[in-house]
Amino acid sequence: MDYFSRQKNTNIRLTLPVVCFVWQIAMIILFGVFIRYDKESNAHWVETKAHDNITSDIENDFYFRYPSFQDVHVMIFVGFGFLMTFLKRYSFGAVGFNFLIASFGLQWALLMQGWFHSLDPQTGKIFIGVESLINADFCVAGCLIAYGAVLGKVSPVQLLVMTLFGVTLFAVEEYIILNLLHARDAGGSMVIHTFGGYYGLAISRVLYRPNLHQSKRMQGSVYHSDTFAMIGTLFLWMFWPSFNSAITDHGDGQHRAVINTYLCLASTVLTTVAISSLSQKTGKLDMVHIQNSTLAGGVALGTAAEFMISPYGALIVGFFCGIISTMGYIFISPFLEKTLKIQDTCGIHNLHAMPGVIGGIVGAITAAAASESVYGKQGLINTFDFTGDFKDRTVLTQGGYQAAGMCVSIVFGVVGGAIVGSILKLPIWGDPADENCFDDEVYWEVREPESIPPILEYNNHMIHKQQDLSESNFSVEHCES
């Protein structure tokens, strides 16, 4: 295929390397100016221990956070990447561009989140530690969710532009929701999933392709591509309790978040399987539902994971999420494409956007219903961080701010996605032609497997062996005769 003759921008061969080199040089300069190690990763930790009467290195935050960071990191690079390999001819793009987006975005996220959350006013520096790395991964997750909506339809340069603006918008909406509104969202139902979902859907709507049917032959999956996608599902499903608990307070909150997410995910699997089977006349299961809807419970419980929602409450959330998400793939996705002209490749509306909204609602209700009899006085203060400027806030007020936070994430996702989509629609980014979408050959060197020549008799060692044995037996019989 003459790839470059079929692109809208024949300079893509130069554009991508230039963008990557220029961006990385800019990051080196900005990190040199702003980024420094925090006190727990600095060589002065020895002095810090003596000053703060810390007796052991085990008190360093690294030992509390790194296991969770490791799990989240695997989810970002392996889970999200492999989940998107379901397309029969776009596995390289799914895993490879996922790798590119995450590596590009996490550097910008450390700067953006640092400027908003941890900039030292005296030195003008951003001090980072292991928790900063977790938050950067969370930030990148929002952009990877958005990538799911435009998978196979955009160029790598467009993905980098989308990530640049996505991380910036994420940092702003995160600051508004968590700092100004003081909403709680440990697992990111609102900040990550709702924002990322609607950001991607808005971009996909603006980039609508009326002639996308020209590449319809590439949109399906095959047996092995669905199997690879299931690997991503399993990694995400196993590590989601770490995702929802990674940045919660040490102790009971983190412990509770793991338990609640664990139960919610298990419940989601059962109802997903049930609805998937019921939706088919033959009673067979649809792999699309099993790959995606089984994860919806983890998304929906992100906000309330650390709350006293109770184990049976977590099971209830998972029960309904499995049903709603699977029904979304069956009924809502076709409606979005046919009526609203939103071409959602991975169905992020059903896995992230809709469950994210459910998570925001569950969080608001659970917060408003909190009481001292359930949490205890100090437990209520610790869980909702009713300290400082927020020490007089009531649980009802907190519930209202939780709902407001959900609205902020939707607005940032929809409006921000529409604006960024308009930028990405400019004919300068080298996006694939309609007939070349969902095909790795456009941006990747694809080596097709060589045909294996038939094994001829003179090349078959077993036949030689059998012939030699026959000749030997013949000689023995001849001598005996």
Side-chain angles (χ1 to χ4, degrees):
M1 180 177 66
D2 186 5
Y3 148 56
F4 288 109
S5 67
R6 306 181 77 169
Q7 303 309 300
K8 296 177 181 178
N9 178 14
T10 57
N11 292 324
I12 188 64
R13 285 170 290 184
L14 295 176
T15 306
L16 181 60
V18 167
V19 170
C20 290
F21 274 122
V22 170
W23 179 259
Q24 197 53 58
I25 291 170
M27 288 298 99
I28 291 170
I29 295 170
L30 288 172
F31 269 60
V33 174
F34 290 104
I35 301 291
R36 298 292 184 269
Y37 300 118
D38 69 6
K39 66 178 183 179
E40 295 187 71
S41 55
N42 195 293
H44 293 283
W45 167 245
V46 177
E47 300 165 14
T48 302
K49 282 197 301 181
H51 181 268
D52 295 343
N53 293 319
I54 299 172
T55 58
S56 172
D57 283 331
I58 201 69
E59 296 298 319
N60 192 298
D61 200 41
F62 173 85
Y63 296 100
F64 289 103
R65 300 291 186 192
Y66 185 74
S68 295
F69 163 71
Q70 196 172 30
D71 292 351
V72 171
H73 216 46
V74 169
M75 290 177 71
I76 296 299
F77 287 91
V78 179
F80 278 103
F82 275 88
L83 182 63
M84 293 187 280
T85 59
F86 65 93
L87 291 170
K88 65 178 78 172
R89 293 281 298 176
Y90 208 71
S91 295
F92 288 4
V95 177
F97 291 150
N98 184 92
F99 197 7
L100 175 65
I101 291 170
S103 300
F104 176 93
L106 65 85
Q107 299 176 68
W108 183 231
L110 285 169
L111 285 163
M112 285 300 303
Q113 290 178 313
W115 285 327
F116 276 99
H117 295 285
S118 56
L119 185 67
D120 189 325
Q122 296 179 339
T123 63
K125 305 299 181 185
I126 299 168
F127 295 94
I128 64 170
V130 68
E131 189 171 343
S132 308
L133 308 186
I134 297 173
N135 281 315
D137 277 0
F138 280 174
C139 186
V140 165
C143 296
L144 296 178
I145 291 166
Y147 176 37
V150 297
L151 181 71
K153 299 177 294 185
V154 293
S155 72
V157 177
Q158 283 177 303
L159 289 175
L160 295 180
V161 174
M162 183 185 79
T163 305
L164 172 65
F165 287 106
V167 168
T168 305
L169 289 166
F170 181 98
V172 176
E173 61 109 17
E174 180 188 46
Y175 179 76
I176 293 172
I177 294 171
L178 301 185
N179 291 63
L180 300 184
L181 299 180
H182 198 65
R184 305 293 286 176
D185 193 26
S189 292
M190 301 181 293
V191 173
I192 300 171
H193 300 284
T194 303
F195 165 75
Y198 285 106
Y199 180 61
L201 291 170
I203 291 175
S204 182
R205 175 62 186 87
V206 175
L207 298 181
Y208 174 72
R209 290 172 177 261
N211 297 317
L212 192 62
H213 62 274
Q214 293 178 9
S215 57
K216 190 175 182 179
R217 69 194 185 283
M218 294 293 188
Q219 291 187 43
S221 63
V222 291
Y223 191 82
H224 71 268
S225 66
D226 270 333
T227 303
F228 272 105
M230 195 64 195
I231 293 173
T233 299
L234 292 175
F235 269 102
L236 291 169
W237 195 92
M238 288 188 300
F239 291 141
W240 216 293
S242 295
F243 191 94
N244 282 354
S245 65
I247 59 171
T248 54
D249 293 334
H250 300 319
D252 65 288
Q254 197 164 41
H255 198 165
R256 195 161 52 247
V258 169
I259 294 171
N260 288 337
T261 308
Y262 177 92
L263 294 172
C264 187
L265 285 165
S267 180
T268 305
V269 173
L270 273 293
T271 50
T272 297
V273 169
I275 298 300
S276 182
S277 179
L278 287 171
S279 69
Q280 304 292 327
K281 292 181 180 179
T282 59
K284 295 181 180 180
L285 301 175
D286 189 331
M287 201 57 168
V288 173
H289 306 153
I290 307 305
Q291 289 164 358
N292 296 279
S293 296
T294 52
L295 302 171
V299 174
L301 205 68
T303 298
E306 63 179 325
F307 298 167
M308 292 283 286
I309 193 171
S310 79
Y312 78 88
L315 290 174
I316 291 172
V317 173
F319 179 91
F320 285 107
C321 274
I323 295 172
I324 294 170
S325 179
T326 310
M327 297 290 278
Y329 279 99
I330 298 168
F331 298 110
I332 300 178
S333 288
F335 170 79
L336 291 178
E337 183 164 357
K338 185 178 179 180
T339 307
L340 301 183
K341 302 188 186 307
I342 298 175
Q343 296 160 327
D344 181 6
T345 307
C346 291
I348 66 168
H349 177 264
N350 312 308
L351 173 54
H352 297 282
M354 195 161 52
V357 171
I358 294 172
I361 295 170
V362 170
I365 294 171
T366 309
S371 64
E372 283 191 21
S373 62
V374 175
Y375 287 80
K377 184 175 181 179
Q378 193 58 44
L380 207 60
I381 294 171
N382 290 342
T383 302
F384 296 101
D385 197 22
F386 289 156
T387 58
D389 294 337
F390 307 98
K391 64 181 180 180
D392 296 324
R393 178 174 287 187
T394 65
V395 291
L396 285 174
T397 304
Q398 182 65 32
Y401 278 106
Q402 294 286 149
M406 182 185 66
C407 296
V408 169
S409 64
I410 294 173
V411 170
F412 265 79
V414 173
V415 177
I419 295 171
V420 174
S422 300
I423 296 171
L424 297 180
K425 200 169 184 177
L426 297 173
I428 60 174
W429 307 114
D431 50 318
D434 289 332
E435 65 270 22
N436 294 335
C437 290
F438 315 112
D439 190 350
D440 272 332
E441 242 184 304
V442 177
Y443 300 112
W444 296 86
E445 189 68 38
V446 179
R447 296 173 180 83
E448 298 292 350
E450 297 179 2
S451 59
I452 301 173
I455 299 175
L456 303 177
E457 284 191 3
Y458 64 79
N459 229 7
N460 191 318
H461 298 295
M462 288 307 294
I463 288 180
H464 276 306
K465 201 170 184 179
Q466 291 170 359
Q467 287 176 343
D468 292 342
L469 186 59
S470 298
E471 290 174 1
S472 176
N473 290 337
F474 175 76
S475 298
V476 170
E477 291 174 0
H478 183 70
C479 290
E480 288 176 350
S481 63

